Amino acid sequence: MRRRACVPCPPVVASTPGVGERTLTRLCAAELGMTFPRWRTQLRLHHALRLPAEGAHTPDAHHALG
């Protein structure tokens, strides 16, 4: 079984040395053209489509994505 996809929230990512939460928020908007929560949703959707395509059963994919 796959591990659950974990995409941390901005404060957790910003706890990395040298990256502030506001900087991360601005970089997401500038580089990705979307907010951090929107990017996180898009990433989860990508994984939700990819897992069944790789042969994962629907319940397993559902569990992996939370």
Side-chain angles (χ1 to χ4, degrees):
M1 187 180 313
R2 291 179 177 262
R3 294 180 65 191
R4 185 175 180 173
C6 178
V7 180
C9 60
V12 173
V13 175
S15 67
T16 303
V19 179
E21 183 178 352
R22 290 181 66 190
T23 300
L24 177 65
T25 301
R26 285 192 297 266
L27 282 173
C28 281
E31 297 292 324
L32 303 174
M34 62 185 83
T35 63
F36 188 89
R38 178 73 175 155
W39 171 80
R40 185 175 47 205
T41 299
Q42 292 294 318
L43 182 63
R44 286 181 176 150
L45 286 172
H46 169 75
H47 286 293
L49 294 172
R50 185 182 56 100
L51 289 174
E54 292 177 349
H57 296 294
T58 303
D60 294 337
H62 175 78
H63 179 67
L65 297 169

